[in-house]
Coordinates of all heavy atoms in Angstrom, one line a residue:
M1 N 46.0 111.6 280.7 CA 45.8 112.7 279.9 C 44.5 112.6 279.2 O 44.2 111.6 278.6 CB 46.9 112.9 278.9 CG 46.7 114.0 277.9 SD 47.8 114.1 276.5 CE 47.2 112.7 275.6
R2 N 43.7 113.6 279.3 CA 42.4 113.7 278.5 C 42.6 114.7 277.4 O 43.0 115.8 277.7 CB 41.3 114.1 279.5 CG 41.0 113.0 280.5 CD 39.8 113.3 281.4 NE 38.6 113.5 280.5 CZ 37.5 114.1 280.9 NH1 37.5 114.7 282.1 NH2 36.5 114.2 280.1
A3 N 42.2 114.3 276.2 CA 42.3 115.3 275.1 C 41.0 115.1 274.3 O 40.4 114.0 274.2 CB 43.5 114.9 274.3
L4 N 40.6 116.3 273.7 CA 39.4 116.2 272.8 C 39.8 115.6 271.5 O 40.9 115.9 271.0 CB 38.9 117.7 272.6 CG 38.4 118.4 273.8 CD1 38.0 119.8 273.4 CD2 37.2 117.8 274.4
M5 N 39.0 114.9 270.9 CA 39.2 114.4 269.5 C 37.9 114.1 268.9 O 36.9 113.8 269.6 CB 40.2 113.3 269.5 CG 39.7 111.9 269.8 SD 40.9 110.7 269.5 CE 41.0 109.9 271.0
N6 N 37.8 114.2 267.6 CA 36.6 113.9 266.8 C 37.1 113.3 265.5 O 37.5 114.0 264.6 CB 35.8 115.1 266.6 CG 34.4 114.8 266.0 OD1 34.3 113.7 265.3 ND2 33.5 115.7 266.1
L7 N 37.1 112.0 265.4 CA 37.6 111.3 264.2 C 36.7 111.6 263.0 O 37.2 111.4 261.9 CB 37.7 109.8 264.5 CG 38.7 109.4 265.6 CD1 38.7 107.9 265.8 CD2 40.1 109.9 265.2
A8 N 35.5 112.1 263.2 CA 34.7 112.4 262.1 C 35.2 113.7 261.4 O 34.9 113.9 260.2 CB 33.2 112.6 262.5
I9 N 35.9 114.5 262.1 CA 36.5 115.8 261.6 C 37.9 115.5 261.0 O 38.2 115.9 259.9 CB 36.5 116.9 262.7 CG1 35.0 117.3 263.0 CG2 37.2 118.1 262.2 CD1 34.9 118.3 264.1
E10 N 38.7 114.9 261.9 CA 40.1 114.7 261.4 C 40.7 113.5 262.2 O 40.3 113.3 263.4 CB 41.0 115.9 261.7 CG 40.9 116.9 260.7 CD 42.1 117.9 260.7 OE1 42.9 117.9 261.7 OE2 42.3 118.6 259.8
P11 N 41.6 112.8 261.6 CA 42.3 111.7 262.4 C 43.2 112.3 263.5 O 43.7 113.4 263.4 CB 43.2 111.0 261.3 CG 43.3 112.0 260.2 CD 42.1 112.9 260.2
A12 N 43.4 111.6 264.5 CA 44.1 112.1 265.7 C 45.6 111.7 265.5 O 46.1 110.7 266.0 CB 43.6 111.5 267.0
L13 N 46.4 112.6 264.9 CA 47.8 112.3 264.6 C 48.8 113.2 265.4 O 49.9 112.8 265.6 CB 48.1 112.5 263.1 CG 47.3 111.6 262.2 CD1 47.6 111.9 260.7 CD2 47.5 110.1 262.5
K14 N 48.3 114.3 265.9 CA 49.2 115.2 266.6 C 48.4 115.8 267.8 O 47.2 115.8 267.8 CB 49.6 116.4 265.8 CG 50.4 116.0 264.6 CD 50.8 117.2 263.7 CE 51.4 116.8 262.4 NZ 51.4 117.9 261.5
L15 N 49.1 116.2 268.8 CA 48.5 116.8 270.0 C 48.7 118.3 270.0 O 49.8 118.8 269.9 CB 49.1 116.2 271.3 CG 48.6 116.7 272.6 CD1 47.1 116.3 272.7 CD2 49.4 116.2 273.7
F16 N 47.6 119.1 270.0 CA 47.6 120.5 270.0 C 47.1 121.1 271.3 O 46.3 120.5 271.9 CB 46.7 121.1 268.9 CG 47.2 120.8 267.5 CD1 46.8 119.6 266.8 CD2 48.0 121.6 266.8 CE1 47.2 119.3 265.5 CE2 48.4 121.3 265.5 CZ 48.0 120.2 264.9
E17 N 47.7 122.2 271.7 CA 47.1 123.0 272.8 C 46.5 124.2 272.2 O 47.1 125.0 271.6 CB 48.2 123.4 273.8 CG 48.8 122.2 274.6 CD 49.8 122.6 275.6 OE1 50.0 123.8 275.9 OE2 50.4 121.7 276.2
V18 N 45.2 124.3 272.5 CA 44.4 125.4 271.9 C 43.8 126.3 273.1 O 43.2 125.8 274.0 CB 43.2 124.8 271.1 CG1 42.4 126.0 270.5 CG2 43.7 124.0 270.0
S19 N 44.1 127.6 273.0 CA 43.5 128.5 273.9 C 42.2 129.1 273.4 O 42.1 129.4 272.2 CB 44.5 129.7 274.2 OG 43.9 130.7 274.9
T20 N 41.2 129.1 274.2 CA 39.9 129.6 273.7 C 39.2 130.3 274.9 O 39.4 130.1 276.1 CB 39.0 128.5 273.2 OG1 37.8 129.0 272.6 CG2 38.7 127.5 274.2
L21 N 38.2 131.2 274.5 CA 37.3 131.8 275.5 C 36.0 131.0 275.4 O 35.4 130.9 274.4 CB 37.1 133.3 275.2 CG 38.3 134.2 275.4 CD1 37.9 135.6 275.0 CD2 38.7 134.2 276.9
V22 N 35.6 130.5 276.6 CA 34.3 129.7 276.6 C 33.3 130.5 277.4 O 33.6 130.9 278.5 CB 34.6 128.3 277.3 CG1 33.3 127.5 277.4 CG2 35.6 127.5 276.5
V23 N 32.1 130.7 276.8 CA 31.1 131.4 277.5 C 30.3 130.5 278.4 O 29.9 129.4 278.0 CB 30.1 132.0 276.5 CG1 29.0 132.7 277.2 CG2 30.9 133.0 275.6
I24 N 30.2 130.9 279.7 CA 29.5 130.1 280.7 C 28.0 130.6 280.6 O 27.7 131.8 280.8 CB 30.1 130.3 282.1 CG1 31.5 129.8 282.1 CG2 29.3 129.6 283.1 CD1 32.3 130.1 283.4
T25 N 27.1 129.7 280.4 CA 25.7 130.0 280.1 C 24.9 130.9 281.1 O 24.4 131.9 280.8 CB 24.9 128.7 279.8 OG1 25.6 128.0 278.8 CG2 23.5 129.0 279.4
P26 N 24.9 130.5 282.4 CA 24.0 131.3 283.3 C 24.4 132.8 283.4 O 23.6 133.7 283.4 CB 24.1 130.6 284.7 CG 24.7 129.3 284.4 CD 25.5 129.4 283.1
S27 N 25.7 133.1 283.5 CA 26.1 134.4 283.8 C 26.6 135.1 282.5 O 26.9 136.3 282.5 CB 27.3 134.5 284.8 OG 28.4 133.7 284.3
Q28 N 26.8 134.4 281.4 CA 27.3 134.9 280.1 C 28.7 135.4 280.2 O 29.1 136.3 279.5 CB 26.3 135.9 279.5 CG 25.0 135.4 279.1 CD 25.1 134.3 278.0 OE1 25.9 134.4 277.1 NE2 24.4 133.2 278.2
Q29 N 29.5 135.0 281.2 CA 30.8 135.4 281.4 C 31.7 134.5 280.5 O 31.4 133.3 280.3 CB 31.3 135.3 282.8 CG 30.6 136.3 283.7 CD 31.1 136.2 285.1 OE1 31.6 135.2 285.6 NE2 31.0 137.3 285.9
A30 N 32.8 135.0 280.0 CA 33.8 134.2 279.2 C 35.0 133.8 280.1 O 35.5 134.6 280.9 CB 34.2 135.0 278.0
V31 N 35.4 132.6 280.0 CA 36.5 132.0 280.8 C 37.5 131.5 279.8 O 37.2 130.8 278.9 CB 36.0 130.9 281.7 CG1 37.2 130.3 282.5 CG2 35.0 131.3 282.7
K32 N 38.8 131.9 280.0 CA 39.9 131.4 279.2 C 40.2 130.0 279.6 O 40.5 129.7 280.7 CB 41.1 132.3 279.2 CG 42.2 132.0 278.3 CD 43.3 133.0 278.3 CE 44.3 132.6 277.3 NZ 45.4 133.5 277.3
R33 N 40.3 129.1 278.6 CA 40.7 127.7 278.8 C 41.8 127.3 277.8 O 41.8 127.8 276.7 CB 39.5 126.8 278.6 CG 38.3 127.1 279.3 CD 38.1 126.2 280.5 NE 37.0 126.7 281.4 CZ 36.1 125.9 281.9 NH1 36.1 124.6 281.6 NH2 35.2 126.4 282.7
V34 N 42.7 126.4 278.3 CA 43.7 125.8 277.4 C 43.3 124.4 277.3 O 43.3 123.7 278.3 CB 45.1 126.0 278.0 CG1 46.1 125.3 277.1 CG2 45.4 127.5 278.0
L35 N 43.0 123.9 276.1 CA 42.5 122.5 275.9 C 43.5 121.8 275.1 O 44.2 122.3 274.2 CB 41.2 122.6 275.1 CG 40.1 123.4 275.7 CD1 39.0 123.6 274.7 CD2 39.6 122.8 277.0
K36 N 43.6 120.5 275.4 CA 44.5 119.6 274.6 C 43.5 118.9 273.6 O 42.5 118.4 274.0 CB 45.1 118.5 275.5 CG 46.1 119.2 276.4 CD 46.9 118.1 277.2 CE 47.8 118.7 278.2 NZ 48.8 119.6 277.8
V37 N 44.0 119.0 272.3 CA 43.1 118.4 271.2 C 44.0 117.6 270.3 O 45.1 117.9 270.0 CB 42.5 119.6 270.4 CG1 41.7 119.1 269.3 CG2 41.8 120.6 271.3
M38 N 43.5 116.4 270.0 CA 44.2 115.5 269.1 C 43.6 115.6 267.7 O 42.4 115.4 267.5 CB 44.1 114.1 269.6 CG 44.9 113.9 270.9 SD 44.8 112.2 271.5 CE 45.8 111.3 270.2
A39 N 44.4 116.1 266.7 CA 43.9 116.3 265.4 C 45.1 116.2 264.4 O 46.2 115.9 264.9 CB 43.3 117.7 265.2
D40 N 44.9 116.4 263.1 CA 46.0 116.4 262.2 C 46.5 117.7 261.8 O 47.7 117.9 261.5 CB 45.5 115.7 260.9 CG 46.6 115.4 259.9 OD1 47.7 115.1 260.3 OD2 46.3 115.3 258.7
T41 N 45.7 118.8 261.8 CA 46.1 120.1 261.5 C 45.6 121.1 262.5 O 44.7 120.8 263.2 CB 45.5 120.5 260.1 OG1 44.1 120.5 260.2 CG2 46.0 119.6 259.0
P42 N 46.3 122.3 262.6 CA 45.8 123.3 263.5 C 44.3 123.7 263.2 O 43.5 123.9 264.2 CB 46.7 124.5 263.3 CG 48.0 123.9 262.7 CD 47.5 122.7 261.9
R43 N 44.0 123.8 262.0 CA 42.6 124.2 261.6 C 41.6 123.1 262.1 O 40.5 123.4 262.6 CB 42.5 124.4 260.1 CG 41.1 124.7 259.6 CD 41.1 125.0 258.1 NE 40.4 126.2 258.0 CZ 40.6 127.0 257.0 NH1 41.5 126.8 256.1 NH2 39.9 128.2 256.9
G44 N 42.0 121.9 262.0 CA 41.1 120.8 262.5 C 41.0 120.8 264.0 O 39.9 120.5 264.5
A45 N 42.1 121.2 264.7 CA 42.0 121.3 266.1 C 41.0 122.4 266.6 O 40.2 122.2 267.5 CB 43.4 121.6 266.7
I46 N 41.1 123.5 265.9 CA 40.1 124.6 266.2 C 38.7 124.2 265.9 O 37.8 124.5 266.6 CB 40.6 125.9 265.5 CG1 41.9 126.4 266.1 CG2 39.5 126.9 265.5 CD1 42.5 127.6 265.3
Q47 N 38.5 123.4 264.8 CA 37.2 123.0 264.4 C 36.6 122.0 265.5 O 35.4 122.1 265.9 CB 37.2 122.3 263.1 CG 35.8 121.9 262.6 CD 34.8 123.0 262.5 OE1 35.2 124.1 262.0 NE2 33.6 122.8 262.9
I48 N 37.5 121.2 266.1 CA 37.0 120.2 267.1 C 36.6 121.0 268.4 O 35.6 120.7 269.0 CB 38.2 119.2 267.4 CG1 38.3 118.3 266.2 CG2 37.9 118.5 268.7 CD1 39.5 117.4 266.3
V49 N 37.4 122.1 268.7 CA 37.0 122.9 269.9 C 35.7 123.6 269.6 O 34.9 123.7 270.5 CB 38.2 123.9 270.2 CG1 37.7 124.9 271.2 CG2 39.4 123.2 270.7
R50 N 35.5 124.2 268.4 CA 34.3 124.8 268.1 C 33.1 123.8 268.2 O 32.0 124.2 268.6 CB 34.3 125.4 266.7 CG 35.1 126.7 266.7 CD 35.0 127.3 265.3 NE 35.8 128.6 265.3 CZ 36.4 129.0 264.2 NH1 36.4 128.4 263.1 NH2 37.1 130.1 264.3
D51 N 33.3 122.6 267.7 CA 32.3 121.6 267.8 C 31.9 121.2 269.2 O 30.8 121.0 269.5 CB 32.7 120.3 267.0 CG 31.7 119.3 266.9 OD1 30.5 119.6 266.5 OD2 32.0 118.1 267.2
R52 N 32.9 121.1 270.1 CA 32.7 120.8 271.5 C 32.1 121.9 272.3 O 31.3 121.7 273.2 CB 34.0 120.3 272.1 CG 34.0 120.0 273.6 CD 33.0 118.8 273.9 NE 33.0 118.5 275.3 CZ 32.3 119.0 276.2 NH1 31.4 119.9 275.9 NH2 32.3 118.6 277.4
Y53 N 32.6 123.1 272.0 CA 32.1 124.3 272.7 C 31.6 125.3 271.7 O 32.3 126.2 271.2 CB 33.2 125.0 273.5 CG 33.8 124.1 274.6 CD1 35.0 123.4 274.5 CD2 33.1 124.0 275.8 CE1 35.5 122.6 275.5 CE2 33.6 123.2 276.8 CZ 34.8 122.5 276.7 OH 35.3 121.7 277.6
P54 N 30.3 125.2 271.3 CA 29.8 126.1 270.2 C 29.8 127.6 270.5 O 29.8 128.4 269.6 CB 28.4 125.5 270.0 CG 28.1 124.6 271.1 CD 29.3 124.3 271.8
K55 N 29.8 127.9 271.8 CA 29.8 129.4 272.2 C 31.2 129.9 272.4 O 31.4 131.0 272.9 CB 28.9 129.6 273.4 CG 27.5 129.4 273.1 CD 26.6 129.7 274.3 CE 25.2 129.5 274.1 NZ 24.3 129.8 275.2
S56 N 32.2 129.1 272.0 CA 33.6 129.5 272.3 C 34.0 130.5 271.2 O 33.5 130.6 270.1 CB 34.6 128.3 272.3 OG 34.6 127.7 271.0
R57 N 35.0 131.3 271.5 CA 35.5 132.3 270.6 C 37.0 132.6 270.9 O 37.5 132.1 271.9 CB 34.7 133.6 270.6 CG 34.6 134.2 272.0 CD 33.7 135.4 272.0 NE 33.7 136.0 273.3 CZ 32.6 136.1 274.1 NH1 31.5 135.5 273.7 NH2 32.7 136.6 275.2
S58 N 37.6 133.4 270.0 CA 39.0 133.8 270.2 C 40.0 132.6 270.3 O 40.7 132.4 271.3 CB 39.2 134.7 271.5 OG 40.5 135.1 271.6
H59 N 39.9 131.7 269.3 CA 40.7 130.5 269.3 C 42.2 130.8 268.9 O 42.4 131.6 268.0 CB 40.2 129.5 268.3 CG 38.7 129.2 268.6 ND1 37.7 129.9 268.0 CD2 38.1 128.3 269.4 CE1 36.6 129.4 268.4 NE2 36.8 128.5 269.3
Q60 N 43.1 130.1 269.6 CA 44.5 130.3 269.2 C 45.3 129.0 269.5 O 45.1 128.5 270.6 CB 45.1 131.4 270.1 CG 46.6 131.7 269.8 CD 47.1 132.8 270.7 OE1 46.4 133.3 271.6 NE2 48.3 133.3 270.4
V61 N 46.0 128.5 268.6 CA 46.8 127.3 268.8 C 48.1 127.7 269.5 O 48.9 128.5 268.9 CB 47.1 126.6 267.5 CG1 48.0 125.4 267.7 CG2 45.8 126.1 266.8
L62 N 48.4 127.2 270.7 CA 49.6 127.6 271.4 C 50.7 126.7 271.2 O 51.9 127.1 271.2 CB 49.2 127.5 272.9 CG 48.1 128.4 273.4 CD1 47.9 128.2 274.9 CD2 48.5 129.9 273.2
A63 N 50.5 125.4 271.0 CA 51.6 124.4 270.8 C 51.1 123.2 270.0 O 49.9 122.9 270.0 CB 52.1 123.9 272.1
C64 N 52.1 122.5 269.4 CA 51.8 121.3 268.6 C 52.9 120.3 269.0 O 54.1 120.6 268.9 CB 51.8 121.6 267.1 SG 51.7 120.1 266.1
H65 N 52.4 119.1 269.4 CA 53.4 118.0 269.8 C 53.1 116.8 268.9 O 52.0 116.4 268.8 CB 53.2 117.7 271.3 CG 53.3 118.8 272.2 ND1 54.4 119.4 272.5 CD2 52.3 119.5 272.8 CE1 54.2 120.5 273.4 NE2 52.9 120.5 273.6
A66 N 54.2 116.3 268.4 CA 54.1 115.0 267.6 C 53.9 113.9 268.6 O 54.5 113.8 269.6 CB 55.4 114.8 266.8
L67 N 53.0 113.0 268.2 CA 52.8 111.8 269.0 C 53.8 110.7 268.6 O 54.2 110.6 267.5 CB 51.4 111.2 268.8 CG 50.3 112.2 269.2 CD1 48.9 111.5 268.9 CD2 50.3 112.4 270.7
A68 N 54.3 110.0 269.6 CA 55.3 109.0 269.4 C 54.7 107.8 268.6 O 53.6 107.4 268.8 CB 55.9 108.4 270.7
A69 N 55.5 107.3 267.6 CA 55.1 106.2 266.8 C 55.2 104.9 267.6 O 56.1 104.7 268.3 CB 55.9 106.1 265.5
A70 N 54.2 104.1 267.5 CA 54.2 102.8 268.3 C 55.0 101.8 267.6 O 55.2 101.7 266.5 CB 52.7 102.4 268.4

C-alpha cells in the first residue's frame, strides 16, 4: 500500500481516503482521484493532499481507518 504522508504537517496515526480533483497541466483538465493519506485529523489529510497536489480542488474525506497498534 502506498499512502501520502508528511510528518512536518501531522503525525501519521490514521489512514484517510481523500477524494480530490487534480488538474493535469498540459490540457488543464481535472481528473477525480481517490488518495490514501496517513495523518492524524481529516483537516491534516486535506492539507497533505493540497501540499502534494497544489492545483487540486474539491477535497472530500471519504473514509477514516484506524491503524492497528503494534
Side-chain angles (χ1 to χ4, degrees):
M1 172 190 74
R2 292 183 61 198
L4 297 176
M5 78 173 126
N6 186 339
L7 297 177
I9 294 175
E10 278 198 347
L13 301 177
K14 299 176 188 165
L15 182 65
F16 293 90
E17 288 185 8
V18 179
S19 171
T20 185
L21 290 177
V22 178
V23 176
I24 300 173
T25 306
S27 63
Q28 294 299 317
Q29 292 181 335
V31 177
K32 185 175 182 179
R33 304 258 170 136
V34 176
L35 306 167
K36 294 187 185 303
V37 182
M38 293 179 68
D40 189 30
T41 62
R43 179 176 230 154
I46 290 173
Q47 183 61 39
I48 290 169
V49 171
R50 284 185 179 147
D51 184 48
R52 176 64 177 87
Y53 298 101
K55 294 183 179 181
S56 64
R57 56 182 183 249
S58 182
H59 306 92
Q60 181 181 10
V61 175
L62 301 177
C64 172
H65 305 285
L67 296 177

